[in-house]
C-alpha cells in the first residue's frame, strides 16, 4: 500500500507543480496583453490629440476655406468622431471635470497661473485630454491641465 501512496503523492505533487506553472504562465500572458493594450490606447490618444490640434487650426481659419477645404475639414472631423466611437465601444471615455476643480487622480498640473478672483486648483484650461476605462475604473492617461495657484 505504501508504494501506491508514494505513487499518488508524486502524482499529486506533479499536478500541483504543473498547476503553479500554468497559473504563472497565464498571469504573464495577461500582464503582457494588458501592457500591449495600454500602449495601443496611448497611441490612439496621440492620434486624437493630433485631430484636436487640426480642429483648432481649422476653426481659426474656417471663414477663409473654399468648398474643397470645407469638405476636407468635414472628413477630418468625421474620422475623429469615428475614432472616439471606437474607443467608446471599448468603454474608453474622455475624463470630464464637472466641477472644474483639478483632481490629482485624474489630472496632472503642467502649469499654474495667478487669478485672485478664482479659487486655487480651478482648471483654467486642458492642455491634453485624459482618458479612463469606465469598466475597469482605470485611468489610462491623466489630463494635463493649467490651474489657478494664488500665492
Amino acid at each position: 500500500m505504501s508504494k501506491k501512496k508514494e505513487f499518488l503523492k508524486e502524482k499529486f505533487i506533479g499536478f500541483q507543480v504543473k498547476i503553479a506553472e500554468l497559473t504563472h504562465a497565464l498571469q504573464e500572458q495577461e500582464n503582457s496583453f494588458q501592457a500591449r493594450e495600454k500602449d495601443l490606447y496611448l497611441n490612439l490618444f496621440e492620434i486624437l490629440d493630433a485631430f484636436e490640434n487640426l480642429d483648432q487650426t481649422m476653426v481659426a481659419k474656417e471663414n477663409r476655406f473654399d468648398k474643397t477645404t470645407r469638405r476636407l475639414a468635414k472628413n477630418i472631423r468625421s474620422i475623429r468622431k469615428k475614432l472616439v466611437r471606437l474607443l467608446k465601444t471599448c468603454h474608453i471615455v474622455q475624463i470630464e471635470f464637472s466641477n472644474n476643480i483639478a483632481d490629482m487622480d485624474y489630472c496632472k498640473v503642467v502649469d499654474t497661473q495667478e487669478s485672485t478672483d478664482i479659487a486655487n486648483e480651478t482648471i483654467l484650461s486642458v492642455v491634453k485630454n485624459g482618458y479612463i476605462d469606465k469598466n475597469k475604473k482605470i485611468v489610462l492617461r491623466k489630463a494635463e491641465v493649467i490651474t489657478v495657484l494664488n500665492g
Side-chain angles (χ1 to χ4, degrees):
M1 193 75 168
S2 67
K3 283 186 179 182
K4 286 182 181 179
K5 283 185 180 181
E6 188 64 35
F7 174 76
L8 288 175
K9 182 180 175 184
E10 287 177 24
K11 282 291 189 184
F12 183 67
I13 291 171
F15 285 141
Q16 286 181 324
V17 168
K18 188 68 171 173
I19 289 170
E21 289 172 353
L22 290 173
T23 303
H24 181 71
L26 179 64
Q27 186 63 46
E28 282 183 355
Q29 206 172 33
E30 202 170 291
N31 291 344
S32 173
F33 172 76
Q34 288 175 351
R36 285 193 325 261
E37 184 181 47
K38 186 171 183 179
D39 283 344
L40 173 65
Y41 287 138
L42 291 175
N43 287 324
L44 290 174
F45 301 152
E46 291 297 321
I47 293 169
L48 271 176
D49 292 342
F51 276 122
E52 287 171 21
N53 291 338
L54 263 173
D55 194 46
Q56 288 173 357
T57 303
M58 289 185 303
V59 166
K61 298 180 180 188
E62 210 159 15
N63 59 351
R64 294 178 276 175
F65 287 174
D66 61 6
K67 184 178 178 182
T68 305
T69 311
R70 276 195 297 276
R71 199 172 350 182
L72 178 62
K74 183 179 176 185
N75 288 339
I76 289 171
R77 288 181 179 124
S78 174
I79 293 168
R80 181 184 177 281
K81 286 178 187 174
K82 288 177 183 179
L83 182 54
V84 169
R85 274 196 309 267
L86 170 73
L87 289 169
K88 280 184 181 176
T89 62
C90 299
H91 310 285
I92 309 299
V93 294
Q94 184 176 316
I95 296 172
E96 309 239 345
F97 299 97
S98 58
N99 58 2
N100 211 30
I101 300 294
D103 181 343
M104 294 305 119
D105 291 334
Y106 300 105
C107 67
K108 175 170 72 171
V109 177
V110 293
D111 197 11
T112 59
Q113 296 177 0
E114 270 194 47
S115 182
T116 55
D117 56 331
I118 302 174
N120 280 344
E121 297 182 5
T122 300
I123 297 172
L124 295 173
S125 67
V126 177
V127 177
K128 275 189 178 180
N129 288 312
Y131 296 91
I132 187 168
D133 183 327
K134 288 196 84 132
N135 272 2
K136 298 176 186 173
K137 306 277 191 265
I138 297 173
V139 175
L140 298 170
R141 181 175 86 174
K142 289 185 175 186
E144 294 181 9
V145 298
I146 298 173
T147 63
V148 173
L149 179 63
N150 294 317

